[in-house]
Amino acid sequence: MKFRHIALAAALALAAPAAQAAKTDLIVGMAAQDVGKLDPHLAVSTIDRTVVAWLFNGLVRFKPGSMSPADIEPDLATSWESSADKKVWTFKLRPGVKFHGDYGELTADDVVYSLTKSADPKRSASSGDFASFEKVEALDPLTVRITLKQTIPSLLGIITNYGGGFIVSKKAVEALGDKFAAQPIGTGPFAFAANTPNQSLELVAHKAYFRGAPKIGKISYRFLPSNASRDLAFQNGELDLEFGSQDQTWIDRMKKLPGAVVDVFQPGEEAILHLNLAQKPLDDLRVRQAIAYAINRPEILKFQGPDASRTPGSVIPIGNLGYVDAGLPGYDVAKAKALLAEAGFKDGLTLKVVHTQLPNMLAQMQVVQAQLKRAGINLDLQVVEHATFHQMIRQDLSAIVFYAAARFPVADVYLTQFYHSRSTVKTPTAVTNFSHCTAADAEIDAARTEPDQAKQIALWETAQKKIVAQMCAVPLIETLQAWVRKDTLVYGYDLKGSLSLGPLITEQTHFK
Amino acid sequence: MIFYIARRLLAAVPTLWAVLTLVFVLVRIVPGDPAVAILGDRATPAAVAALQAKLGLDRPIWEQYLTFLGQSAQGDFGISMVTNRPILADVGAVIPHTIDLTLAAMLIGIVIGIPAGVWAALHRNRWIDVLARMLSLVGLSFPVFVSGIFLLLTFALHWRIFPVIGNANLSDPGDRLLKLVLPSITLGLVMAAYITRVTRSSMLSVLDEDYMRTARAKGVPWKRVVWRHGLRNAGLPVVTVVGLYIGILIGNSVLTEIVFNRPGLGKIIVGALNQRDYTMLQGLMVIYCFLIVVVNLLTDLAYGFIDPRVKHA
């Protein structure tokens, strides 16, 4: 009896501080087999981008929780000024910023090295964004000057905490060489600790972080590719935060779990049908218009569910700087049939379309297929494996390309990559213009160098309307990002958007 | 015996060479470019070409082939194109998990399958036999992603005995065992179903043999007749199936690994295929092929122990 009392007292004494101390280890479940490249300039998948945003900083950053260009604020730079023609920019760096490990303090040399690396296609996936850079120089250890060949829509947008804007340690990249992509060194609130292939990536708090030591001590980023098992692990309390699905049934199911909060946030990935103007019969405007009238967007939204999806209003995503409701054609099957008859396809037509086997994209395309069928347009879907799909659509092998993407939220980026003739697939400067659209080249080019923002926005709006008039593309739906977390996990900011596609874990993030 | 093993290993060299060549060609025939996979969908052709040059993909194909053969012969599988990590280190980190799962599943399969098969054969067409055949059919028909999720719902979520995330700490035997139970049952039951059916049919063919009748006529107890004379002679087909199945288990455990969130060889293969990680795929295929050769050799050696008439001269 006496022993039981002593044991009980000891147990209570041990349990009491444990109950009071807040948890500091964050366990995140990601839909991944492994991480790819953690060199921030080469990190292109959602899996890698989510993590590098916790490890690195840019000269400027989007305020945590936002991805509006209006919310750009100082990060590694404390202030900046530009010449009257906006071609020369000078940045003052924050003093005393420490890199992870023994890699010392940040200097202007690191910034010059990082931005030069970002512009090099051999060492960066974002080199295209830096095409207008003439030179980057260190004026003194804490001052950097960027000189541009020509004015660009948003220099701050390029050097923010995203893609090529991340600042790396020159010393670390030179010392580690190719290993840097597996053992990244940045200035962010968390530092790389270990990576167990196929299992997890472990991060630790960067105690010398310039905004203060993070409240979270460790992050375990677990690779859990099975959606069902990841959900079960979250339900079982083994995960604090989980990458989710935009699927309405998933959102409804997770919302019902006790102590779970589903976060839905920007960017919206806009799914668009790009109609190949270089192929018959899509070279006929009336056929393209028929496709546009046959698409029933409210029905697609109903299929996908309203919580993490919305109906698009233009050929670029809602919320991009320069977005305008471009007046997309409404659903009208009779009109679609009449247009087809006028174009000489009274009995309908068949289009060969290459598509991916990824379940969500395939399901959406099957809805489109059923809708077009009502107007007499048959889609002969050639369903292939996802990497094969990417290669085939870049070889111009599909009459229609279904593509869902989010980009840096300034109209220029989406318009240039998807609708400018320079970006047409199978050309030396190709990006993702699958439709061979040339409708708004002049406006897109003029807007890029227009110094007056009101005029610039007007040009982007005209460009969108011209692209819609030419029916280069038919927007279908926009889907937002969805994650689930325990209600005890507090981000420390209001999560409305995140360019890295995952929630930012900052020095303020903590458990209640 | 040593000569036999050496001869078998030597005979495996042409097989390995053929596999290496096939893998080298296959991974390059499959559409999809590793440079595009690495750089993402915004990459310009110039950036893709620059990365291809860096990865050595712009070199003549025969030059790439010879380099690959030379490196493989030296046991150097290089580094992953995607992660920049040494391939052997990645494989080395997961192979204990794959071996754990394969051996545990095999053990469960043998422990359940052989007695069930013998029992069913001895009670041919009676309710025990019907039940064993029905259960083995269920075991074969149930996909592992269904049985695995069912086990997780029951034993991880409802009773909370086992965790859902099965990436065990290899240096902690308790944790290793705890996280092995559900996946090995999932895979082991499929194996048990196979073994039950093979053992049953093999035993049935042996039970009517003259030497069985002679043994009984001599007054040898029935149990001894079954285990000594029956099972020993019925054992060869069973060993063949077990040997073949180990090879299948190593490769096909991918679904079990994904459902139970376990690291493993199968999971790495799928990841490398999605990313078009040529070097990783080539390395994995060579290792996988080598494992199959070793397992086949062990199976052949086991014949000699079961049936002394099989000589390894």
Side-chain angles (χ1 to χ4, degrees), chain A residues 279-358:
Chain A
Q279 279 192 19
K280 282 190 181 303
L282 291 174
D283 57 340
D284 188 329
L285 177 63
R286 291 166 298 187
V287 177
R288 301 199 297 274
Q289 284 170 330
I291 292 174
Y293 281 114
I295 291 296
N296 184 344
R297 270 179 286 278
E299 194 177 67
I300 298 173
L301 183 71
K302 201 172 162 193
F303 171 75
Q304 189 69 29
D307 281 15
S309 307
R310 59 192 180 194
T311 307
S314 179
V315 289
I316 66 170
I318 296 165
N320 274 214
L321 181 67
Y323 166 86
V324 69
D325 186 333
L328 302 176
Y331 175 55
D332 189 341
V333 175
K335 203 163 180 178
K337 283 183 174 167
L339 280 160
L340 279 185
E342 204 183 302
F345 298 99
K346 198 162 68 66
D347 300 325
L349 58 93
T350 298
L351 297 168
K352 276 201 171 178
V353 172
V354 177
H355 197 60
T356 172
Q357 64 180 10
L358 282 190

XYZ file of all heavy atoms in Angstrom, chain A residues 279-358:
603
model
N -3.064 23.125 -84.686
C -3.596 21.850 -85.196
C -5.000 22.045 -85.753
O -5.787 22.793 -85.190
C -3.666 20.831 -84.047
C -2.356 20.159 -83.741
C -2.536 18.959 -82.817
O -3.625 18.412 -82.671
N -1.450 18.559 -82.192
N -5.310 21.357 -86.822
C -6.684 21.350 -87.338
C -7.513 20.425 -86.469
O -6.974 19.425 -85.994
C -6.698 20.865 -88.794
C -6.263 21.954 -89.762
C -6.520 21.530 -91.196
C -6.086 22.582 -92.183
N -6.664 23.921 -92.053
N -8.767 20.671 -86.187
C -9.580 21.806 -86.623
C -9.549 22.983 -85.628
O -10.356 23.889 -85.743
C -10.966 21.187 -86.671
C -10.957 20.207 -85.534
C -9.546 19.694 -85.442
N -8.605 22.916 -84.654
C -8.606 23.966 -83.624
C -8.044 25.290 -84.156
O -8.042 26.293 -83.450
C -7.818 23.496 -82.391
C -8.492 22.360 -81.611
C -7.581 21.852 -80.501
C -9.808 22.806 -81.020
N -7.547 25.285 -85.390
C -7.110 26.559 -85.974
C -8.330 27.415 -86.339
O -8.197 28.598 -86.626
C -6.233 26.306 -87.213
C -6.942 25.462 -88.258
O -7.918 24.766 -87.906
O -6.532 25.501 -89.430
N -9.527 26.809 -86.310
C -10.764 27.532 -86.600
C -11.333 28.099 -85.297
O -11.659 27.345 -84.369
C -11.758 26.546 -87.249
C -13.002 27.247 -87.756
O -13.404 28.273 -87.151
O -13.589 26.776 -88.751
N -11.456 29.419 -85.247
C -11.929 30.084 -84.022
C -13.282 29.531 -83.566
O -13.533 29.376 -82.375
C -12.014 31.602 -84.256
C -12.569 32.435 -83.100
C -11.674 32.351 -81.862
C -12.726 33.912 -83.503
N -14.153 29.214 -84.564
C -15.503 28.744 -84.196
C -15.449 27.420 -83.432
O -16.238 27.194 -82.519
C -16.341 28.584 -85.470
C -16.659 29.911 -86.127
C -17.169 29.729 -87.524
N -16.187 29.088 -88.386
C -16.332 28.936 -89.706
N -17.417 29.345 -90.296
N -15.393 28.347 -90.426
N -14.500 26.553 -83.782
C -14.370 25.275 -83.059
C -13.906 25.547 -81.624
O -14.416 24.955 -80.668
C -13.382 24.321 -83.787
C -13.186 23.038 -82.997
C -13.871 24.018 -85.184
N -12.961 26.475 -81.482
C -12.461 26.803 -80.124
C -13.583 27.421 -79.285
O -13.748 27.114 -78.106
C -11.262 27.759 -80.214
C -10.098 27.208 -81.016
C -8.800 27.922 -80.709
N -8.791 29.326 -81.056
C -8.492 29.817 -82.268
N -8.187 28.991 -83.264
N -8.481 31.127 -82.491
N -14.379 28.293 -79.955
C -15.506 28.903 -79.230
C -16.521 27.832 -78.817
O -17.074 27.881 -77.724
C -16.188 29.956 -80.115
C -15.388 31.248 -80.207
C -15.930 32.206 -81.257
O -16.508 31.790 -82.264
N -15.727 33.499 -81.019
N -16.731 26.853 -79.704
C -17.677 25.774 -79.388
C -17.225 25.035 -78.127
O -18.036 24.722 -77.243
C -17.764 24.812 -80.564
N -15.931 24.792 -78.024
C -15.401 24.109 -76.823
C -15.667 24.979 -75.588
O -16.132 24.495 -74.553
C -13.890 23.818 -76.997
C -13.699 22.759 -78.082
C -13.257 23.371 -75.676
C -12.254 22.483 -78.449
N -15.417 26.279 -75.727
C -15.606 27.175 -74.580
C -17.065 27.195 -74.132
O -17.353 27.173 -72.935
C -15.141 28.579 -74.952
N -18.002 27.211 -75.091
C -19.432 27.239 -74.723
C -19.899 25.899 -74.147
O -20.883 25.838 -73.432
C -20.290 27.619 -75.937
C -20.275 29.118 -76.206
C -19.699 29.644 -77.354
C -20.848 30.014 -75.294
C -19.669 31.015 -77.600
C -20.825 31.384 -75.526
C -20.235 31.877 -76.676
O -20.211 33.226 -76.888
N -19.203 24.813 -74.493
C -19.614 23.489 -74.002
C -19.147 23.232 -72.570
O -19.583 22.280 -71.931
C -19.065 22.419 -74.928
N -18.245 24.075 -72.079
C -17.713 23.860 -70.724
C -18.657 24.484 -69.683
O -19.001 25.664 -69.756
C -16.295 24.461 -70.598
C -15.300 23.657 -71.444
C -15.837 24.525 -69.134
C -15.103 22.210 -71.012
N -19.033 23.638 -68.720
C -19.958 24.073 -67.660
C -19.147 24.205 -66.352
O -18.971 23.237 -65.617
C -21.062 23.017 -67.528
C -22.123 23.436 -66.532
O -21.911 24.353 -65.733
N -23.269 22.764 -66.576
N -18.640 25.420 -66.100
C -17.769 25.632 -64.921
C -18.486 25.369 -63.583
O -17.912 24.739 -62.700
C -17.161 27.034 -64.961
C -15.830 27.080 -65.697
C -15.259 28.476 -65.751
N -15.984 29.287 -66.705
C -15.746 29.268 -68.015
N -14.777 28.526 -68.490
N -16.452 30.007 -68.834
N -19.746 25.835 -63.420
C -20.416 25.547 -62.132
C -20.503 24.048 -61.846
O -20.378 23.614 -60.714
C -21.800 26.165 -62.323
C -21.599 27.254 -63.346
C -20.552 26.732 -64.274
N -20.675 23.254 -62.923
C -20.768 21.800 -62.727
C -19.417 21.237 -62.272
O -19.358 20.361 -61.404
C -21.180 21.149 -64.051
C -21.623 19.714 -63.920
C -22.082 19.159 -65.266
O -21.241 19.013 -66.187
O -23.288 18.875 -65.382
N -18.317 21.777 -62.844
C -16.970 21.311 -62.443
C -16.731 21.679 -60.978
O -16.200 20.884 -60.199
C -15.880 21.935 -63.347
C -16.087 21.481 -64.800
C -14.486 21.544 -62.869
C -15.172 22.154 -65.806
N -17.174 22.881 -60.593
C -17.002 23.318 -59.199
C -17.782 22.403 -58.260
O -17.303 22.026 -57.196
C -17.467 24.777 -59.030
C -17.261 25.354 -57.637
C -15.775 25.598 -57.371
C -18.020 26.661 -57.455
N -18.975 22.027 -58.693
C -19.809 21.136 -57.878
C -19.117 19.786 -57.720
O -19.124 19.191 -56.639
C -21.166 20.958 -58.566
C -22.262 20.499 -57.640
C -23.580 20.535 -58.371
C -24.599 19.691 -57.632
N -25.783 19.434 -58.430
N -18.497 19.325 -58.791
C -17.782 18.037 -58.753
C -16.597 18.114 -57.778
O -16.375 17.221 -56.970
C -17.282 17.695 -60.160
C -16.368 16.510 -60.205
C -16.862 15.219 -60.083
C -14.996 16.683 -60.346
C -16.015 14.128 -60.115
C -14.135 15.592 -60.372
C -14.650 14.314 -60.262
N -15.847 19.202 -57.839
C -14.638 19.331 -57.016
C -14.980 19.698 -55.572
O -14.249 19.360 -54.653
C -13.722 20.393 -57.641
C -12.342 20.495 -57.020
C -11.470 19.283 -57.303
O -11.624 18.625 -58.332
N -10.573 18.956 -56.383
N -16.090 20.401 -55.363
C -16.468 20.842 -54.012
C -16.062 22.281 -53.790
O -15.026 22.718 -54.286
N -16.866 23.034 -53.018
C -16.662 24.484 -52.944
C -15.590 24.955 -51.954
O -15.081 26.056 -52.101
C -18.033 24.995 -52.498
C -18.607 23.860 -51.705
C -18.055 22.605 -52.279
N -15.205 24.141 -50.965
C -14.338 24.655 -49.898
C -12.947 25.061 -50.366
O -12.400 26.054 -49.894
C -14.218 23.632 -48.761
C -15.433 23.651 -47.866
O -16.458 24.244 -48.293
O -15.390 23.082 -46.763
N -12.363 24.286 -51.250
C -10.990 24.585 -51.674
C -10.926 24.898 -53.164
O -9.870 24.819 -53.770
C -10.083 23.412 -51.349
N -12.063 25.242 -53.749
C -12.068 25.532 -55.187
C -12.908 26.767 -55.462
O -13.770 27.132 -54.656
C -12.670 24.358 -55.963
O -12.023 23.179 -55.631
N -12.658 27.387 -56.605
C -13.477 28.531 -57.011
C -13.504 28.608 -58.535
O -12.645 28.020 -59.214
C -12.960 29.816 -56.386
C -11.529 30.131 -56.747
C -10.977 31.245 -55.886
N -9.600 31.526 -56.260
C -8.767 32.262 -55.522
N -9.172 32.784 -54.374
N -7.539 32.492 -55.932
N -14.486 29.356 -59.038
C -14.626 29.477 -60.483
C -13.720 30.586 -60.987
O -13.758 31.699 -60.471
C -16.088 29.809 -60.828
O -16.921 28.840 -60.208
C -16.318 29.788 -62.321
N -12.892 30.315 -61.988
C -11.994 31.360 -62.499
C -12.735 32.373 -63.363
O -13.823 32.085 -63.866
C -10.988 30.571 -63.341
C -11.718 29.339 -63.748
C -12.726 29.032 -62.697
N -12.133 33.533 -63.503
C -12.780 34.576 -64.303
C -11.911 35.044 -65.452
O -12.302 35.910 -66.231
N -10.698 34.472 -65.553
C -9.808 34.904 -66.625
C -8.816 33.787 -66.935
O -8.885 32.703 -66.340
C -9.059 36.165 -66.196
O -8.183 36.576 -67.222
N -7.891 34.079 -67.827
C -6.886 33.078 -68.207
C -5.675 33.108 -67.283
O -4.685 32.400 -67.511
C -6.439 33.268 -69.674
C -7.552 32.852 -70.626
C -6.023 34.715 -69.927
N -5.719 33.958 -66.240
C -4.709 33.933 -65.174
C -5.462 33.827 -63.840
O -6.638 34.180 -63.767
C -3.779 35.180 -65.191
C -4.568 36.454 -64.875
C -3.063 35.321 -66.519
C -3.671 37.672 -64.631
N -4.793 33.340 -62.786
C -5.528 33.108 -61.532
C -6.028 34.398 -60.854
O -5.403 35.454 -60.979
C -4.496 32.404 -60.640
C -3.478 31.852 -61.569
C -3.425 32.791 -62.721
N -7.129 34.255 -60.146
C -7.708 35.361 -59.375
C -6.664 35.835 -58.360
O -5.961 35.021 -57.755
C -8.972 34.871 -58.620
C -10.052 34.453 -59.625
C -9.509 35.932 -57.660
C -11.181 33.643 -59.017
N -6.569 37.133 -58.168
C -5.669 37.665 -57.138
C -4.304 38.056 -57.673
O -3.543 38.729 -56.989
N -3.972 37.649 -58.920
C -2.701 38.093 -59.518
C -2.774 39.600 -59.745
O -3.839 40.116 -60.112
C -2.474 37.408 -60.871
C -1.816 36.053 -60.746
O -1.044 35.639 -61.584
N -2.117 35.335 -59.668
N -1.669 40.280 -59.545
C -1.638 41.712 -59.837
C -1.885 41.886 -61.337
O -1.136 41.353 -62.153
C -0.269 42.294 -59.457
C -0.108 43.789 -59.692
C -0.994 44.600 -58.764
C 1.353 44.216 -59.507
N -2.965 42.593 -61.688
C -3.305 42.777 -63.097
C -4.460 41.899 -63.548
O -4.885 41.977 -64.700
N -4.989 41.068 -62.636
C -6.115 40.187 -62.990
C -7.359 41.004 -63.313
O -7.642 42.009 -62.655
C -6.408 39.243 -61.809
C -7.739 38.535 -61.908
C -7.851 37.344 -62.618
C -8.897 39.067 -61.322
C -9.074 36.695 -62.724
C -10.126 38.428 -61.425
C -10.205 37.237 -62.129
O -11.413 36.603 -62.242
N -8.121 40.584 -64.297
C -9.404 41.221 -64.596
C -10.405 40.129 -64.965
O -10.015 39.073 -65.475
C -9.266 42.233 -65.761
C -8.985 41.545 -67.087
C -10.497 43.120 -65.871
N -11.670 40.354 -64.648
C -12.694 39.421 -65.099
C -12.792 39.606 -66.617
O -13.276 40.635 -67.096
C -14.032 39.736 -64.418
C -15.083 38.682 -64.750
O -14.967 38.067 -65.841
O -15.994 38.470 -63.939
N -12.295 38.627 -67.352
C -12.120 38.809 -68.800
C -13.355 38.435 -69.604
O -13.310 38.409 -70.833
C -10.918 37.990 -69.262
N -14.465 38.124 -68.929
C -15.705 37.811 -69.631
C -15.649 36.479 -70.360
O -15.799 36.416 -71.591
N -15.468 35.403 -69.591
C -15.395 34.068 -70.200
C -16.779 33.664 -70.712
O -17.789 33.996 -70.078
C -14.908 33.034 -69.166
C -13.552 33.300 -68.522
C -13.267 32.247 -67.452
C -12.445 33.276 -69.570
N -16.847 32.952 -71.836
C -18.149 32.533 -72.351
C -18.863 31.626 -71.350
O -18.223 30.794 -70.704
C -17.798 31.740 -73.615
C -16.404 32.105 -73.945
C -15.742 32.488 -72.671
N -20.179 31.797 -71.241
C -20.963 30.963 -70.321
C -21.356 29.655 -70.990
O -21.153 29.470 -72.201
N -21.957 28.760 -70.205
C -22.321 27.427 -70.703
C -23.536 27.526 -71.629
O -24.585 28.046 -71.223
C -22.620 26.544 -69.487
C -23.114 25.169 -69.807
C -22.385 24.319 -70.633
C -24.320 24.698 -69.282
C -22.842 23.047 -70.925
C -24.780 23.425 -69.560
C -24.043 22.606 -70.383
O -24.491 21.351 -70.670
N -23.390 27.068 -72.859
C -24.487 27.134 -73.824
C -24.261 26.055 -74.894
O -23.606 26.288 -75.909
C -24.520 28.543 -74.455
C -25.754 28.766 -75.306
O -26.383 27.763 -75.717
O -26.085 29.940 -75.576
N -24.817 24.874 -74.656
C -24.570 23.743 -75.559
C -25.131 24.002 -76.959
O -24.495 23.674 -77.971
C -25.176 22.443 -74.986
C -25.016 21.294 -75.975
C -24.483 22.061 -73.702
N -26.311 24.658 -77.003
C -26.937 24.903 -78.310
C -26.014 25.778 -79.163
O -25.809 25.514 -80.358
C -28.288 25.583 -78.098
N -25.455 26.791 -78.521
C -24.552 27.687 -79.246
C -23.293 26.935 -79.705
O -22.794 27.152 -80.808
C -24.168 28.840 -78.317
C -23.729 30.079 -79.051
C -23.772 31.265 -78.112
C -23.331 32.526 -78.830
N -23.398 33.696 -77.980
N -22.810 26.058 -78.809
C -21.625 25.263 -79.154
C -21.905 24.418 -80.395
O -21.093 24.357 -81.327
C -21.236 24.385 -77.974
N -23.080 23.766 -80.431
C -23.440 22.910 -81.580
C -23.577 23.738 -82.847
O -23.140 23.327 -83.923
C -24.750 22.175 -81.286
C -24.551 20.996 -80.342
C -25.850 20.250 -80.137
C -25.641 19.000 -79.319
N -26.889 18.416 -78.853
N -24.197 24.941 -82.703
C -24.384 25.809 -83.862
C -23.026 26.239 -84.432
O -22.831 26.235 -85.657
C -25.206 27.032 -83.445
N -22.108 26.579 -83.541
C -20.765 26.998 -83.984
C -20.049 25.853 -84.700
O -19.389 26.051 -85.727
C -19.933 27.476 -82.792
C -20.229 28.891 -82.326
C -19.741 29.101 -80.895
C -19.555 29.914 -83.249
N -20.206 24.652 -84.159
C -19.579 23.482 -84.793
C -20.153 23.251 -86.186
O -19.421 22.987 -87.146
C -19.804 22.223 -83.939
C -18.888 21.994 -82.748
C -19.184 20.638 -82.121
C -17.413 22.025 -83.170
N -21.486 23.382 -86.302
C -22.149 23.188 -87.593
C -21.649 24.233 -88.594
O -21.343 23.911 -89.757
C -23.660 23.294 -87.410
N -21.518 25.449 -88.104
C -21.040 26.540 -88.953
C -19.608 26.269 -89.447
O -19.239 26.622 -90.568
C -21.051 27.828 -88.117
C -21.137 29.119 -88.926
C -21.066 30.317 -87.990
O -21.919 30.404 -87.083
O -20.148 31.126 -88.155
N -18.842 25.617 -88.594
C -17.448 25.322 -88.953
C -17.338 24.051 -89.804
O -16.238 23.637 -90.165
C -16.613 25.184 -87.686
N -18.492 23.413 -90.081
C -18.483 22.228 -90.937
C -18.428 20.919 -90.172
O -18.087 19.876 -90.729
N -18.766 20.962 -88.883
C -18.742 19.722 -88.078
C -20.130 19.449 -87.484
O -20.296 19.338 -86.282
C -17.689 19.823 -86.968
C -16.286 19.978 -87.483
C -15.672 21.226 -87.534
C -15.579 18.877 -87.928
C -14.391 21.369 -88.018
C -14.284 19.013 -88.409
C -13.693 20.254 -88.462
N -21.098 19.393 -88.379
C -22.487 19.200 -87.945
C -22.636 17.898 -87.150
O -23.396 17.820 -86.193
C -23.394 19.161 -89.178
C -24.856 19.398 -88.868
C -25.623 19.792 -90.101
C -25.774 18.692 -91.147
N -26.567 17.547 -90.792
N -21.880 16.871 -87.554
C -21.987 15.570 -86.880
C -20.969 15.410 -85.755
O -20.716 14.306 -85.274
C -21.786 14.444 -87.902
C -22.839 14.518 -88.999
O -23.987 14.891 -88.667
O -22.517 14.241 -90.165
N -20.376 16.489 -85.358
C -19.411 16.424 -84.257
C -17.992 16.152 -84.747
O -17.754 15.995 -85.947
N -17.072 16.091 -83.802
C -15.670 15.830 -84.174
C -14.949 15.128 -83.025
O -15.442 15.098 -81.893
C -14.952 17.141 -84.532
C -14.905 18.238 -83.487
C -13.641 18.144 -82.658
C -14.930 19.610 -84.185
N -13.798 14.559 -83.367
C -12.995 13.852 -82.353
C -11.607 14.486 -82.265
O -10.993 14.776 -83.290
C -12.860 12.360 -82.725
O -14.173 11.797 -82.739
C -12.019 11.602 -81.705
N -11.144 14.712 -81.042
C -9.820 15.311 -80.832
C -8.960 14.338 -80.039
O -9.427 13.770 -79.043
C -9.945 16.630 -80.056
C -10.727 17.748 -80.753
C -11.022 18.870 -79.771
C -9.936 18.291 -81.941
N -7.697 14.172 -80.473
C -6.779 13.286 -79.739
C -6.070 14.097 -78.667
O -5.409 15.099 -78.979
C -5.756 12.690 -80.700
C -6.277 11.472 -81.405
C -5.156 10.620 -81.940
C -5.752 9.297 -82.433
N -4.805 8.421 -82.998
N -6.228 13.667 -77.439
C -5.696 14.443 -76.321
C -4.825 13.563 -75.428
O -5.249 12.485 -75.005
C -6.865 15.038 -75.497
C -6.370 15.690 -74.229
C -7.631 16.045 -76.339
N -3.608 14.032 -75.164
C -2.708 13.311 -74.249
C -3.027 13.800 -72.836
O -3.135 15.011 -72.606
C -1.228 13.616 -74.575
C -0.307 12.937 -73.582
C -0.903 13.187 -75.996
N -3.166 12.863 -71.899
C -3.472 13.289 -70.531
C -2.760 12.405 -69.519
O -2.380 11.275 -69.816
C -4.985 13.276 -70.298
C -5.391 14.068 -69.092
N -5.133 15.407 -68.976
C -6.014 13.715 -67.947
C -5.580 15.840 -67.809
N -6.116 14.830 -67.163
N -2.600 12.953 -68.325
C -1.873 12.234 -67.276
C -2.788 11.238 -66.548
O -4.005 11.429 -66.492
C -1.287 13.210 -66.256
O -0.740 12.477 -65.157
C -2.337 14.146 -65.697
N -2.152 10.243 -65.940
C -2.937 9.280 -65.157
C -3.093 9.714 -63.703
O -3.721 9.001 -62.920
C -2.291 7.905 -65.222
C -0.911 7.872 -64.592
C -0.262 6.509 -64.662
O -0.767 5.633 -65.334
N 0.838 6.338 -63.973
N -2.540 10.881 -63.316
C -2.708 11.335 -61.923
C -4.201 11.401 -61.609
O -4.951 12.079 -62.316
C -2.085 12.716 -61.717
C -0.567 12.815 -61.568
C -0.169 14.201 -61.130
C -0.020 11.780 -60.613
